[in-house]
Amino acid sequence: MTAPVIEPLDYRTAMGHFCTGVTVITAADEEGPVGFACQSFSALSLDPPLVLFCPMKTSGAWRTIERTGRFAVNVLGEGQQDVSSVFGSRHPDKFGAVAWKPSRSGSPLLDGALSWIDCAVEAVHDGGDHHIVIGRVLELSAPNAGRPLLFYKGRYTQTVTDPGEAIPRALSLDSFLTWPVGDDWI
């Protein structure tokens, strides 16, 4: 039996129903800083601390990351739609449009991000028209107060809880990270 052909627009529409956070992946070399908005970011492992993201194979920023072996993940807050728009476009001077500073390894850290994670490239795998990049966490920030910038059904959206509202213990991240079942995520 032959699998049905999946139309790209149908695939994009279906995947748009999965809410994601918005990050900006950054790097720098002697030619200057580079970065792009990225929704395909995730935690991968606690021990060792690993993350993953998936850049398009044609990404110019990816070429810099591949060359330097370093990158930073900037987790955007709900008030940073403009930052996401700049880094999701072909803006000629992305880093002139935002405030930033270099991490210890040289990757740009964007002012106002909820948090940042500085990484070294650990491995790269084929992912169709994208690469699957695994990064080893070198350093990270404590999270800032605020809500994340989310993307859902082709639009920015937000959470409905207040940033200071307590999450019930049964639903906290600690519960997921220490879940006793061996086949869970993270």
Side-chain angles (χ1 to χ4, degrees), residues 44-50 136 177 186:
L44 178 61
S45 169
L46 290 173
D47 187 18
L50 301 173
R136 180 175 292 266
L177 298 178
I186 314 188

Side-chain angles (χ1 to χ4, degrees), residues 5-87:
V5 174
I6 305 297
E7 293 298 325
L9 182 58
D10 294 339
Y11 180 72
R12 182 178 287 223
T13 300
M15 294 296 101
H17 284 75
F18 180 67
C19 185
T20 65
V22 181
T23 66
V24 173
I25 307 294
T26 59
D29 64 8
E30 62 282 347
E31 295 179 24
V34 296
F36 64 96
C38 181
Q39 293 171 252
S40 59
F41 165 76
S42 181
L44 178 61
S45 169
L46 290 173
D47 187 18
L50 301 173
V51 297
L52 69 81
F53 75 98
C54 303
M56 289 187 66
K57 289 182 175 177
T58 58
S59 166
W62 164 246
R63 287 190 289 279
T64 299
I65 295 166
E66 183 177 38
R67 199 169 42 254
T68 64
R70 301 266 192 259
F71 65 94
V73 180
N74 296 270
V75 179
L76 299 186
E78 71 179 349
Q80 294 184 295
Q81 291 180 18
D82 56 336
V83 174
S84 175
S85 295
V86 166
F87 283 93

Side-chain angles (χ1 to χ4, degrees), residues 30-186:
E30 62 282 347
E31 295 179 24
V34 296
F36 64 96
C38 181
Q39 293 171 252
S40 59
F41 165 76
S42 181
L44 178 61
S45 169
L46 290 173
D47 187 18
L50 301 173
V51 297
L52 69 81
F53 75 98
C54 303
M56 289 187 66
K57 289 182 175 177
T58 58
S59 166
W62 164 246
R63 287 190 289 279
T64 299
I65 295 166
E66 183 177 38
R67 199 169 42 254
T68 64
R70 301 266 192 259
F71 65 94
V73 180
N74 296 270
V75 179
L76 299 186
E78 71 179 349
Q80 294 184 295
Q81 291 180 18
D82 56 336
V83 174
S84 175
S85 295
V86 166
F87 283 93
S89 72
R90 296 190 184 278
H91 192 285
D93 186 16
K94 293 177 181 179
F95 288 90
V98 300
W100 64 280
K101 63 183 178 292
S103 70
R104 282 191 246 223
S105 69
S107 296
L109 305 176
L110 305 181
D111 286 2
L114 286 183
S115 64
W116 55 262
I117 307 152
D118 203 25
C119 303
V121 174
E122 182 86 3
V124 180
H125 302 282
D126 182 58
D129 58 2
H130 284 66
H131 293 294
I132 302 165
V133 180
I134 297 172
R136 180 175 292 266
V137 177
L138 302 174
E139 187 176 6
L140 47 83
S141 71
N144 294 322
R147 298 182 202 186
L149 180 59
L150 302 176
F151 202 72
Y152 176 67
K153 292 173 129 180
R155 297 187 174 100
Y156 294 111
T157 189
Q158 62 187 19
T159 59
V160 295
T161 58
D162 290 330
E165 185 177 336
I167 298 172
R169 177 72 181 147
L171 298 177
S172 75
L173 182 58
D174 291 341
S175 297
F176 288 109
L177 298 178
T178 59
W179 189 263
V181 179
D183 62 352
D184 66 307
W185 57 280
I186 314 188

